């Protein structure tokens, strides 16, 4: 680890809890201090020593256009000049809602929040208010932000750090959340048979990205839709990562399933703090002020965030066709890496869904949290550091997704594969 980084990190650690404002940024699971970042542009991110890396984290998903897209930055600059927060309705909020509703057939009404956490928290409260039921179900390894109800066997940071639940979440609340294995039809059927009439909601990442990438078996999501509908349970798709990542809309569009509520975030904020919850008029109108379920936010629908998000979505809409190229590039990269590992005799299972991927250090298949946890995390850590040394910035945990952006070029992919060759030499 280089010296500058440790200086910055120890300075940060004296005033910031753990030196970071979100746990996975601390690089604990790969056994080092995190690099500090100065700036990023396109597919590249630059540390404080001016070294460039090809970035596959992309702020954990949002930067699908690449960092600092000139049009997004110009729009933000123009918006900032007019003031940064008003606490009153603005026109861009309506435009944002219109764009999202037009892209998601399941969304008739929308509410903006400042984070994905708030979106999921609101969706769950709304489902409880709407159904008058208390229990909710989620899936092991799925992450829905850090609110009390969903911090049970959550993926991402909690899995990386080996935290199954969290002290501070009262048992009385934890007891109301059932967590089931992902992709497990039997467990799902049994749970619904037993608790169907008591469940307010089932929340799911339609493509799991927070235990590493795990794709849903088609029957799993179909069964989930059928059974929830039959039992009056609100089905919540958490598309905070997947919204606008694979197509202009959600994963739900691609599989033709309409959830009752959808959570969004990340990409729709264009790199600014944003989340949203949307769904049918009937459910969404239960939110205050039309309804009695309370939800609010001083900075919700923030004008600068709306402009950043809207500009991003407009650029994505113009690129509709090129989502296929993003898919193709990611496929190319993953297949080439797979071959390198194979030749070297290191077992890996690369899970990929369009432009999201995870290299699991194990034979696989990885279909849920239990199988994901079989990975060799020590080997992952060595791979991570090898790639970093060779100019490739990967997520600092086995249990996270890698992302490609529209800014990643063939040349970037080539460099990444060269870095991988060098890294494998010493693995
Ligand atoms: C990132 C994420 C969240 C939380 O969003 P924040 O903006 O970090 O609060 C929720 N759900 C999923 C699936 C996520 O990946």
């Amino acid at each position: 680890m280089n010296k500058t980084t440790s200086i910055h990190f120890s300075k940060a650690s004296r005033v910031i809890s753990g030196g970071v404002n979100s746990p996975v940024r601390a690089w604990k699971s790969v056994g080092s201090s995190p690099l500090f970042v100065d700036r990023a542009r396109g597919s590249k991110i630059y540390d404080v020593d001016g070294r460039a890396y090809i970035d596959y984290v992309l702020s954990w998903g949002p930067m699908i256009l690449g960092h600092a897209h000139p049009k997004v930055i110009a729009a933000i600059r123009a918006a900032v000049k007019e003031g940064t927060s008003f606490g009153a309705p603005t026109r861009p909020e309506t435009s944002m809602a219109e764009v999202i509703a037009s892209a998601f057939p399941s969304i008739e009404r929308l509410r903006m929040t400042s984070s994905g956490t708030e979106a999921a928290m609101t969706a769950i409260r709304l489902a409880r208010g709407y159904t008058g039921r208390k229990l909710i179900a989620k899936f092991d390894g799925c992450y829905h932000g850090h609110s009390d109800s969903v911090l049970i066997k959550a993926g991402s940071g909690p899995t990386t750090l080996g935290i199954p639940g969290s002290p501070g979440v009262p048992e009385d609340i934890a007891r109301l959340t059932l967590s089931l294995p992902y992709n497990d039809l039997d467990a799902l059927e049994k749970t619904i048979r037993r608790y169907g009439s008591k469940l307010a909601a089932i929340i799911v990442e339609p493509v799991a990205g927070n235990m590493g990438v795990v794709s849903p078996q088609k029957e799993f999501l179909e069964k989930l839709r059928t059974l929830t509908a039959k039992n009056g349970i609100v089905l919540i798709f958490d598309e905070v990562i997947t919204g606008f990542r694979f197509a202009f809309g959600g994963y739900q569009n691609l599989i033709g399933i309409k959830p009752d509520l959808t959570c969004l975030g990340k990409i729709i904020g264009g790199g600014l703090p944003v989340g949203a919850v949307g769904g049918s008029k009937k459910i969404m109108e239960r939110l205050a002020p039309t309804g009695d379920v309370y939800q609010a936010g001083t900075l919700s629908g923030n004008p600068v965030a709306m402009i950043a998000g809207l500009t991003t979505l407009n650029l994505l809409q113009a690129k509709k066709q090129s989502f296929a190229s993003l898919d193709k590039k990611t496929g190319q990269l993953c297949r080439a890496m797979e071959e390198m590992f194979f030749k070297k005799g290191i077992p890996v299972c690369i899970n990929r869904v369009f432009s999201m991927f995870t290299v699991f250090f194990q034979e696989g298949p990885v279909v849920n949290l239990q199988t994901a946890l079989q990975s060799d995390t020590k080997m992952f850590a060595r791979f991570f550091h090898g790639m970093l040394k060779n100019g490739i910035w990967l997520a600092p945990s086995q249990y996270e997704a890698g992302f490609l952006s529209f800014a990643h070029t063939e040349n970037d992919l080539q460099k990444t594969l060269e870095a991988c060759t060098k890294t494998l030499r010493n693995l």
Side-chain angles (χ1 to χ4, degrees), residues 17 87 102 135 162 176 221-222 225 248 257 262 288 322 380 387:
S17 173
S102 75
L135 291 185
L176 300 177
L221 295 177
E222 277 167 1
R225 179 63 285 183
F248 195 76
I257 292 180
T262 299
S322 31
F380 170 82
M387 292 298 273

Side-chain angles (χ1 to χ4, degrees), residues 152-171:
I152 319 280
K153 291 198 187 167
S156 192
T159 295
T160 301
L161 301 171
I163 302 171
S166 172
V169 176
E171 229 177 76

Side-chain angles (χ1 to χ4, degrees), residues 22 60 114-120 142-146 156 204-205 207 209-210 238-242 263-266 273-275 403:
S22 197
W60 304 91
S114 296
S115 67
T117 294
E118 286 173 82
C142 285
Y143 179 69
H144 307 291
H146 63 95
S156 192
V204 67
E205 285 181 73
V207 173
N210 286 291
D238 182 344
E239 299 227 39
V240 169
I241 289 183
T242 55
C263 304
L264 295 168
K266 299 197 167 116
V274 162
F403 298 101

Side-chain angles (χ1 to χ4, degrees), residues 264-280:
L264 295 168
K266 299 197 167 116
I267 289 175
I268 64 162
L272 268 70
V274 162
V277 53
S280 67

Side-chain angles (χ1 to χ4, degrees), residues 92-155:
E93 291 165 79
T94 309
S95 309
M96 179 69 135
E98 282 169 353
V99 171
I100 293 174
S102 75
F104 282 80
S106 69
I107 297 180
E108 293 177 312
R109 294 287 185 277
L110 195 77
R111 176 69 55 90
M112 300 303 304
T113 62
S114 296
S115 67
T117 294
E118 286 173 82
M121 184 184 80
T122 301
I124 288 164
R125 182 180 305 141
L126 185 54
R128 284 178 165 148
Y130 179 74
T131 58
R133 302 172 181 177
K134 279 190 203 164
L135 291 185
I136 62 158
K138 70 178 287 292
F139 296 92
D140 304 344
C142 285
Y143 179 69
H144 307 291
H146 63 95
S147 74
D148 285 354
S149 296
V150 286
L151 214 50
I152 319 280
K153 291 198 187 167

